[in-house]
């Protein structure tokens, strides 16, 4: 049985992804508070800092509870989306090793929600 194929993609506040809450298994992670297994995560927040090269963008995302580093190599459908500081994005991707004590995510899907006025209050309700 391949557990990774059966895992959900939970929504997290970034503060919930601290190293003390996450346990690494062979090919997935568990969130220790409720023993929730996952390989991918869903987070939302504001872009703080952008760096990287032409073929790989890296940026820091802040949801108000913490910061996660997002690695974006070749996400389909992103050709027309501009990632800029201050924008609000939804990110879905593989949870990764910690970078300088912070969690990271290898993006599979990135959606610009900057135009959605209720984005943060709705996100808080979805995660809780």
């Amino acid at each position: 049985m391949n557990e990774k194929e059966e895992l959900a993609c939970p929504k997290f506040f970034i503060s919930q992804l601290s190293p003390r809450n996450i346990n690494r298994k062979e090919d997935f992670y568990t969130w220790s508070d409720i023993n929730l297994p996952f390989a991918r995560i869903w987070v939302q927040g504001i872009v703080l800092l952008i760096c990287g090269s032409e073929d790989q963008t890296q940026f820091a995302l802040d949801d108000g509870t913490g910061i996660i580093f997002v690695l974006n190599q070749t996400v389909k459908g992103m050709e027309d989306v501009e990632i800029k500081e201050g924008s609000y994005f939804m990110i879905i991707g593989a949870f990764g090793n910690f970078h300088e004590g912070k969690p990271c995510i290898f993006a599979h899907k990135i959606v610009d929600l900057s135009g959605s006025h209720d984005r943060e209050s709705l996100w808080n309700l979805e995660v809780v």
Side-chain angles (χ1 to χ4, degrees):
M1 178 173 103
N2 185 350
E3 289 188 49
K4 190 172 184 178
E5 292 177 8
E6 298 174 16
L7 299 176
C9 180
K11 299 173 182 179
F12 282 107
F13 291 125
I14 295 168
S15 63
Q16 295 172 310
L17 299 170
S18 70
R20 64 176 161 47
N21 292 339
I22 304 299
N23 298 310
R24 173 112 170 120
K25 302 295 182 185
E26 190 172 314
D27 60 349
F28 62 95
Y29 296 86
T30 59
W31 186 46
S32 61
D33 285 1
I34 59 171
N35 200 28
L36 174 69
F38 65 93
R40 297 179 311 132
I41 59 172
W42 178 333
V43 295
Q44 291 183 191
I46 297 171
V47 175
L48 291 182
L49 175 70
I50 302 169
C51 58
S53 61
E54 246 182 63
D55 60 339
Q56 181 177 359
T57 303
Q58 300 176 23
F59 57 94
L61 192 78
D62 183 351
D63 73 348
T65 71
I67 296 172
I68 192 167
F69 292 95
V70 179
L71 304 161
N72 170 28
Q73 289 182 313
T74 52
V75 177
K76 292 180 182 179
M78 282 297 299
E79 298 81 15
D80 297 330
V81 176
E82 182 182 359
I83 298 172
K84 55 187 175 189
E85 292 175 9
S87 298
Y88 189 92
F89 281 92
M90 175 198 83
I91 312 291
I92 296 175
F95 186 74
N97 293 328
F98 293 92
H99 172 71
E100 298 178 9
K102 304 285 185 194
C104 68
I105 181 171
F106 298 90
H108 298 160
K109 183 174 185 175
I110 299 177
V111 177
D112 187 354
L113 298 176
S114 298
S116 176
H117 301 292
D118 296 330
R119 63 189 183 235
E120 290 182 70
S121 56
L122 290 174
W123 177 245
N124 289 332
L125 290 172
E126 288 180 38
V127 177
V128 173

